[in-house]
Amino acid sequence: MHIHRYEKLWLGLSLLLIVGFIATITYGAVGAGVTMVDNGETLNPNDLGDHPKFGDPGVEQVGPNEYDVYVVAQQFVFRPGTTIAGQPPITVPANSTVNFYITSADVIHGFSVVGTNANTMAIPGEVAEVTVEVGGPQEYGIVCHEYCGQGHHNMEGLMQVVP
Ligand code: CUA
């Protein structure tokens, strides 16, 4: 009887340790300026049009100073972001928390908001998640840093932090 109770206790402690390790690793990655977090969601890259968020990706306010930004990377466009391809820029207000959720509709791409800690891969079937605290008004370039085909070197976008 008592053994069961101790086993539960140990199980609980083990779980706490695991959570602690993961938190340490995640925090360490943020501190190093490179964040690659996958929230574990899987989705069909061929069927993003029906997805509640990636079907119409963009900026969504989720708190007083917090925004979720859904981005689809595809050859050779970020939706939203790639203004030269007719996409709107990613526009968020100054001094806010911006949670990016990034996936790919075709091959592996990169997603780097230059000058911030947002630097991850966009993998078909997966959702990468990275949070950026933005300061004052500024424009940021977005680049694809994974070779994704002939148009790779021109795959870029724009984020505007506005007053
Ligand atoms: Cu997309 Cu390189």
Side-chain angles (χ1 to χ4, degrees):
M1 302 287 195
H2 289 276
I3 286 174
H4 283 162
R5 192 178 296 165
Y6 283 124
E7 279 179 347
K8 274 183 190 166
L9 183 66
W10 280 112
L11 190 63
L13 284 173
S14 307
L15 284 173
L16 268 178
L17 268 178
I18 290 167
V19 169
F21 281 134
I22 292 171
T24 304
I25 290 164
T26 307
Y27 181 78
V30 170
V34 177
T35 309
M36 292 179 65
V37 178
D38 187 332
N39 70 1
E41 180 182 358
T42 57
L43 66 178
N44 183 348
N46 300 318
D47 212 11
L48 293 179
D50 291 335
H51 190 275
K53 301 295 186 183
F54 291 112
D56 185 20
V59 181
E60 186 179 318
Q61 185 166 10
V62 293
N65 295 300
E66 188 167 358
Y67 297 81
D68 284 353
V69 180
Y70 291 85
V71 179
V72 175
Q74 63 187 74
Q75 291 168 321
F76 298 97
V77 174
F78 293 111
R79 294 190 291 126
T82 302
T83 54
I84 55 171
Q87 291 293 315
I90 294 170
T91 303
V92 292
N95 303 309
S96 55
T97 299
V98 182
N99 308 309
F100 287 100
Y101 300 88
I102 307 132
T103 193
S104 167
D106 42 41
V107 300
I108 292 177
H109 296 274
F111 179 85
S112 173
V113 183
V114 179
T116 77
N117 60 293
N119 182 344
T120 187
M121 290 200 289
I123 300 172
E126 296 184 14
V127 180
E129 197 179 327
V130 57
T131 295
V132 174
E133 306 287 342
V134 300
Q138 191 177 336
E139 290 195 344
Y140 294 90
I142 301 170
V143 297
C144 177
H145 56 74
E146 293 287 332
Y147 184 76
C148 55
Q150 281 197 328
H152 161 71
H153 296 286
N154 295 318
M155 184 167 171
E156 56 190 33
L158 175 67
M159 177 171 82
Q160 292 178 327
V161 178
V162 298

